[in-house]
Amino acid sequence: MAEECQNIFTDIPNRLSEEFFDILLKRDHVHIERIISRGHKTPEGQWYDQAWDEWVLLLQGEAVLQYEQPMSMITLTAGDHLLIPAHTRHRVEWTPPDRETFWLAVHLHDS
């Protein structure tokens, strides 16, 4: 039986004290999640260091990602996407505080 159609821009919590993570699909080697930010960023000194590749698409809003090595910043706007290879230390440096930023993240697990 087919699943019910859903809209990625609906069912948003009224208050986002933290980034909102919502698993849309989970299979053995692929996890797809929706992330909603509103002025959120990775805490100072903290880095994401994942054992898998992550492909991200910014659906709405803006964001600035920072890579640790080499130290660099990437500004993303709606429609931008990129692949973050496994063990690439990165963080979210900025998202706008006055509106939602919608991310689609595809986590590609080897096993």
Side-chain angles (χ1 to χ4, degrees), residues 2 4-6 18 21 25 28 37-39 41 45 49 51 55 59 65 70 73 76 81 83 89 91 93 97 110:
E4 181 181 322
C5 180
Q6 298 177 5
E18 297 179 353
F21 295 86
L25 177 72
D28 290 340
S37 309
R38 187 184 304 136
K41 65 180 188 173
D49 184 359
W55 179 82
L59 298 168
L65 288 182
M73 302 261 195
L76 301 171
H81 61 90
L83 179 69
R89 289 171 55 95
R91 51 181 279 113
E93 186 62 30
D110 289 335

Side-chain angles (χ1 to χ4, degrees), residues 12 36 38 46 60 84 95 97-99 102:
I12 305 165
I36 304 171
R38 187 184 304 136
Q46 182 177 327
Q60 174 182 300
I84 303 170
T95 60
D98 58 339
R99 64 188 184 280
F102 283 80

Side-chain angles (χ1 to χ4, degrees), residues 14-99:
N14 288 332
R15 295 186 183 268
L16 293 175
S17 58
E18 297 179 353
E19 276 188 310
F20 179 75
F21 295 86
D22 184 21
I23 300 293
L24 302 177
L25 177 72
K26 189 171 186 175
R27 296 292 188 264
D28 290 340
H29 303 290
V30 176
H31 300 167
I32 301 174
E33 70 182 339
R34 168 179 74 158
I35 305 167
I36 304 171
S37 309
R38 187 184 304 136
H40 298 100
K41 65 180 188 173
T42 308
E44 290 298 322
Q46 182 177 327
W47 297 90
Y48 291 105
D49 184 359
Q50 301 162 164
W52 56 86
D53 293 343
E54 179 183 5
W55 179 82
V56 294
L57 166 64
L58 204 69
L59 298 168
Q60 174 182 300
E62 300 172 78
V64 175
L65 288 182
Q66 181 178 15
Y67 289 113
E68 185 181 42
Q69 295 295 327
M71 187 66 73
S72 59
M73 302 261 195
I74 297 175
T75 301
L76 301 171
T77 59
D80 290 342
H81 61 90
L82 58 92
L83 179 69
I84 303 170
H87 297 295
T88 300
R89 289 171 55 95
H90 63 285
R91 51 181 279 113
V92 177
E93 186 62 30
W94 176 85
T95 60
D98 58 339
R99 64 188 184 280

